[in-house]
Amino acid sequence: MTDATKQEPIPGLGNLTKIAKVVNDPTGLETFARYVWQAKQVVRQWLTCLHEHDGPAFAVCEQIEDLALVHADKVRLIQLKTRDKGSWSVAAMCDRGLDALVRSYINARKAKIHDICSYELWLEGTTSAKADTADFVLDPTTATKEVRARLVAHGLIRGWVDDFLQRVTIEPGQPTQMHIDKVAMWELSALWPALSHQEIQHLYERLLDAATAAQTGGTEQPASIQMILAAALPHVSHDLPRPGDPGWTDIEPIRDQTLSRGMLTSLTPPLPGEREHQLLARMAAGSASSLLELKMRAAGASVALIEDVQALRADMEVQRQLLLASRDSAQTELDELARRVLRMAHATSARINLSAVGNPVAAGRPAEAIAADLRSRPHDFAHCDRKQLLQQDEELLFGYLGHLSDLCHFDWGLT
């Protein structure tokens, strides 16, 4: 895979007519981007069904807006919200996300499953730095009287507010509409590093088509998905109940909105190894890995090498920020350093790829081979820093390469 992915058409455009019909938007222009972003988030969470230890049995798309991740012993009810501009305040969350979670909580109480449900608000972009918002994101039980009053205004019984807030989590910093394709495809590359870029793109498009179909599935919205899940949960294990099995008739009303583990395994290759479970667990928690880590994982880097590069990048970043603060010409000089470092890194990557024909290690783990080659020539690497911006320290320069990789300038040998 190359960094040219950011220049390619966004997958899923073929579903515009279907989505526009459901949301009553004939042109699709006003709502399409938001719903496609949600479908791409659904794909990322559907992949966590592959996590054998803690993964959900299936995902349910509740008519565009809501996502339910169903485990044998719990249900995660998630609201996926995009941002028009600026950062999220707690007041904005109340009117765009928490209102829907209140409805989910009320329905879950009616179905008597509210105690095994979590209520999660996933936000594109950042949250406000103001104390009331920062405190609420960290711990929703710190909600002010004003926030609690807003929740009551949305239909929450006053005596339920504390219980609801104890079950709420806020996950800001979700990939933006502009970058989510890139993140999702690098996650797929990290899960299946042996697949080519074309195979990854084809896999992503198939999964996105399935997710979009689930979003728009069903002719009518069921009265309460929580009621349906409450009836089916006793029969859920690692996948959906099968036709004829107990629980199948309970799940039937939302079958077209359901993405199961079985469906996923039929569309994807087997996972190559245990190390993928850590990434799946992080995705399940709503945390996004850096592009640097995803690229290095996809290129066969060991955990030790990834952690080393991340640590060196952190050390380098301190020096870079000090440099930017100390001289007006710093950014221009750093850009020149970047060109020299990347020139050397790309030349090394090309040489490694050419030698991969007779070198199975280089072919299967190009990131390890590139890192070993670069670090075996510290003087050559240090020579890139002619103006001593980073003191010609080869460790800091290696961290700078990690920084450039995270900015999509270096892919660690993936083709």
Side-chain angles (χ1 to χ4, degrees):
M1 178 178 295
T2 70
D3 288 331
T5 53
K6 59 180 177 292
Q7 299 175 339
E8 294 172 357
I10 296 176
L13 294 178
N15 294 294
L16 173 57
T17 303
K18 185 187 295 183
I19 292 177
K21 180 179 179 181
V22 170
V23 301
N24 195 29
D25 178 7
T27 66
L29 296 178
E30 295 181 5
T31 51
F32 177 57
R34 175 158 54 98
Y35 293 132
V36 169
W37 180 83
Q38 291 172 346
K40 291 167 183 177
Q41 286 282 53
V42 168
V43 167
R44 298 178 66 230
Q45 285 306 300
W46 185 22
L47 287 169
T48 67
C49 289
L50 296 173
H51 195 325
E52 295 180 2
H53 305 310
D54 262 336
F58 58 92
V60 183
C61 300
E62 188 180 351
Q63 288 295 20
I64 307 296
E65 293 267 292
D66 296 328
L67 170 65
L69 297 175
V70 183
H71 299 247
D73 58 349
K74 63 182 179 181
V75 179
R76 297 172 59 193
L77 298 164
I78 300 173
Q79 279 290 310
L80 303 166
K81 292 300 180 184
T82 57
R83 177 187 64 178
D84 294 328
K85 60 181 178 179
S87 58
W88 286 90
S89 66
V90 65
M93 294 180 214
C94 285
D95 295 333
R96 290 196 58 220
L98 288 174
D99 55 337
L101 290 179
V102 164
R103 291 193 295 271
S104 292
Y105 176 83
I106 293 170
N107 285 333
R109 285 197 75 111
K110 291 177 181 177
K112 298 181 179 180
I113 60 169
H114 67 284
D115 56 337
I116 62 168
C117 292
S118 63
Y119 309 88
E120 305 178 27
L121 179 57
W122 290 25
L123 303 171
E124 177 192 11
T126 59
T127 54
S128 169
K130 291 184 177 180
D132 60 339
T133 297
D135 291 344
F136 182 79
V137 170
L138 186 64
D139 180 3
T141 63
T142 64
T144 63
K145 290 181 180 179
E146 290 78 10
V147 171
R148 291 167 181 266
R150 282 173 176 262
L151 297 178
V152 171
H154 287 312
L156 189 62
I157 293 176
R158 196 173 300 277
W160 295 351
V161 171
D162 285 338
D163 184 69
F164 171 70
L165 290 172
Q166 288 173 5
R167 304 178 189 280
V168 169
T169 59
I170 311 296
E171 295 290 347
Q174 297 303 309
T176 65
Q177 296 175 60
M178 182 180 298
H179 295 109
I180 192 168
D181 286 305
K182 190 185 302 179
V183 171
M185 290 186 67
W186 278 114
E187 285 172 341
L188 289 170
S189 295
L191 289 170
W192 289 282
L195 296 185
S196 68
H197 167 58
Q198 289 75 18
E199 290 170 326
I200 289 292
Q201 185 171 16
H202 181 58
L203 175 59
Y204 182 38
E205 290 173 348
R206 284 193 297 170
L207 296 177
L208 186 55
D209 282 342
T212 303
Q215 277 190 322
T216 56
T219 56
E220 294 183 5
Q221 175 70 12
S224 171
I225 283 185
Q226 290 82 354
M227 286 290 188
I228 293 170
L229 294 179
L233 272 175
H235 311 292
V236 172
S237 55
H238 293 293
D239 209 331
L240 278 172
R242 297 183 178 181
D245 288 347
W248 172 253
T249 55
D250 297 313
I251 212 77
E252 179 64 22
I254 57 172
R255 182 174 57 82
D256 290 341
Q257 297 165 238
T258 299
L259 299 165
S260 70
R261 182 185 303 221
M263 293 168 60
L264 184 58
T265 56
S266 70
L267 291 170
T268 60
L271 288 176
E274 283 292 313
R275 70 191 185 101
E276 317 309 336
H277 290 172
Q278 183 179 10
L279 175 59
L280 289 169
R282 191 178 308 167
M283 291 163 60
S287 300
S289 301
S290 69
L291 289 179
L292 168 62
E293 179 182 352
L294 293 172
K295 289 178 181 182
M296 294 192 74
R297 285 173 63 92
S302 65
V303 172
L305 176 58
I306 293 172
E307 291 178 348
D308 188 29
V309 175
Q310 288 174 326
L312 293 174
R313 182 192 175 182
D315 292 341
M316 178 281 307
E317 186 61 17
V318 174
Q319 299 300 317
R320 190 177 75 90
Q321 291 299 333
L322 289 173
L323 184 65
L324 288 169
S326 65
R327 50 211 277 191
D328 294 337
S329 61
Q331 188 58 62
T332 300
E333 293 171 342
L334 282 168
D335 290 343
E336 177 59 30
L337 174 61
R339 284 189 286 272
R340 293 181 182 278
V341 168
L342 287 171
R343 196 175 299 129
M344 181 173 179
H346 285 306
T348 302
S349 176
R351 187 171 66 254
I352 295 296
N353 281 327
L354 287 173
S355 68
V357 176
N359 187 341
V361 174
R365 308 183 69 183
E368 291 283 339
I370 291 169
D373 187 286
L374 289 172
R375 303 189 82 173
S376 69
R377 297 181 288 140
H379 296 297
D380 293 343
F381 210 23
H383 188 64
C384 295
D385 189 12
R386 294 182 179 180
K387 294 189 177 180
Q388 300 189 19
L389 302 179
L390 299 175
Q391 295 84 51
Q392 293 189 328
D393 185 327
E394 66 272 11
E395 297 288 271
L396 294 178
L397 287 164
F398 198 62
Y400 190 50
L401 178 61
H403 167 74
L404 295 171
S405 178
D406 210 20
L407 296 177
C408 292
H409 297 312
F410 187 61
D411 61 9
W412 297 94
L414 291 174
T415 57

